Amino acid sequence: MFDWLARKAKLFSIRKALKRKTPDQFHFSSEADYFATILRKRDTGEEVLVQSFSDSTISGLAWTGERFEDSVEVPLSEIDDWSVRFRRYYGFMTINYENLRDFFYAECTLYPQRQHVRGWLSQTTYNYRTRFRHDRIEVLRKLVDLHLTEAEKNTGLLFTGSKKDIVELLSSFYGNRIYGHPNHEAESARFRLILESLAETGEVKKHNMHEFELNAGAVATISNYELEERRHKDSVRQNRLLLVVTIVMAVAAIVQAASVVL
């Protein structure tokens, strides 16, 4: 009895998933809503990506070690010899259901939809709070911070840095939610221009087309900038003090002149 129910549940879940079968090519978007169904033979570990379902067989592509490629058919009479798992693509999320229990629990409790709403709220908050770095020094300081954080995890004193591709750097600066920001395209283009500018002046070294590496001269650039900032602030402070003294002296002179007249 139990085996019969388990078989029915397995076949039902496969049929349901195939109604939203993952296309051969697709892009993650807010409209994505697909399933990939994978059978795994219990004794050999053979895996099959399910493509279609008939009254007597399940057709799919067998895993070749690199991708699902070779066409195979699994008789329904042998379905008990196979376990099933699902990969759910919903919006920008990928959710793995490792067994039937995960599948039915998630689908019955609307887990993907709930996670989608949570993600939407998080993305909205991220979009509202994110402040992009439009200044060369801001970007340079963040690059130094990333270098030091990486050095702490990689021998510290002996760490010499490494080149990173621009996509990795953008994610390190702003997190992966940057790709859902409405201004992503414009801000990522601006970010690249700043990196290119830093490469032109020597604070960053450019490798190939899309890889950048921090140079030690960045520390000197930041130090010189901070020194100039302090000098500027001191100058502004002195000018303000001079203005206050001038006003006080003028008021004192006016008061003195008025007392003489009176």
Side-chain angles (χ1 to χ4, degrees):
M1 179 66 178
F2 178 79
D3 291 340
W4 181 84
L5 287 175
R7 187 180 307 113
K8 288 294 185 181
K10 186 183 298 183
L11 296 178
F12 172 83
S13 63
I14 294 173
R15 286 194 182 94
K16 178 177 174 59
L18 282 175
K19 291 179 180 178
R20 294 179 178 173
K21 186 181 69 172
T22 304
D24 293 336
Q25 294 183 344
F26 79 98
H27 298 286
F28 284 101
S29 68
S30 58
E31 290 78 28
D33 186 5
Y34 308 117
F35 284 94
T37 306
I38 300 171
L39 295 175
R40 188 174 190 275
K41 200 163 188 179
R42 302 182 190 278
D43 55 351
T44 64
E46 177 187 357
E47 291 190 336
V48 174
L49 177 64
V50 177
Q51 296 289 293
S52 61
F53 197 116
S54 71
D55 293 337
S56 59
T57 60
I58 294 176
S59 300
L61 301 176
W63 179 253
T64 62
E66 295 183 357
R67 57 182 180 270
F68 290 102
E69 185 175 24
D70 296 339
S71 297
V72 296
E73 289 188 348
V74 177
L76 290 186
S77 59
E78 300 177 6
I79 194 64
D80 292 342
D81 299 330
W82 299 74
S83 61
V84 62
R85 60 187 174 90
F86 304 88
R87 184 168 296 157
R88 183 80 148 98
Y89 300 103
Y90 194 87
F92 294 96
M93 299 182 300
T94 301
I95 307 170
N96 291 314
Y97 302 154
E98 296 299 332
N99 49 52
L100 288 176
R101 182 184 61 186
D102 291 347
F103 174 88
F104 282 108
Y105 174 80
E107 293 302 304
C108 290
T109 61
L110 301 179
Y111 177 80
Q113 291 81 356
R114 289 187 288 113
Q115 290 299 104
H116 181 72
V117 171
R118 177 183 291 182
W120 178 84
L121 291 173
S122 298
Q123 184 69 55
T124 301
T125 302
Y126 172 90
N127 294 346
Y128 176 76
R129 292 182 175 179
T130 297
R131 183 181 68 85
F132 292 100
R133 294 174 171 85
H134 292 162
D135 185 85
R136 279 167 41 94
I137 294 298
E138 283 185 300
V139 171
L140 200 55
R141 282 173 173 158
K142 179 63 176 177
L143 288 173
V144 171
D145 289 342
L146 290 174
H147 174 89
L148 296 176
T149 299
E150 190 175 357
E152 290 178 358
K153 303 174 182 178
N154 294 275
T155 70
L157 178 64
L158 302 180
F159 181 72
T160 58
S162 60
K163 59 186 178 181
K164 294 179 175 60
D165 67 72
I166 195 167
V167 176
E168 180 184 356
L169 284 173
L170 185 65
S171 297
S172 297
F173 269 60
Y174 301 111
N176 291 330
R177 288 198 178 278
I178 179 63
Y179 302 105
H181 195 284
N183 296 331
H184 160 247
E185 297 294 341
E187 292 299 339
S188 60
R190 186 194 300 271
F191 179 73
R192 185 183 186 98
L193 281 177
I194 293 175
L195 287 179
E196 297 280 3
S197 172
L198 292 171
E200 288 287 333
T201 54
E203 289 83 11
V204 169
K205 183 177 181 181
K206 184 177 180 181
H207 298 272
N208 303 320
M209 183 67 71
H210 305 297
E211 294 180 322
F212 296 85
E213 181 180 2
L214 183 68
N215 280 335
V219 177
T221 299
I222 294 174
S223 297
N224 291 335
Y225 174 83
E226 291 176 345
L227 178 60
E228 290 299 320
E229 280 289 289
R230 285 195 297 270
R231 287 175 176 172
H232 175 69
K233 290 179 180 179
D234 289 342
S235 177
V236 171
R237 191 180 298 111
Q238 290 173 1
N239 289 336
R240 288 176 178 172
L241 180 60
L242 180 60
L243 176 62
V244 171
V245 171
T246 301
I247 293 174
V248 170
M249 291 178 65
V251 171
I254 293 173
V255 170
Q256 184 177 9
S259 62
V260 171
V261 173
L262 295 176

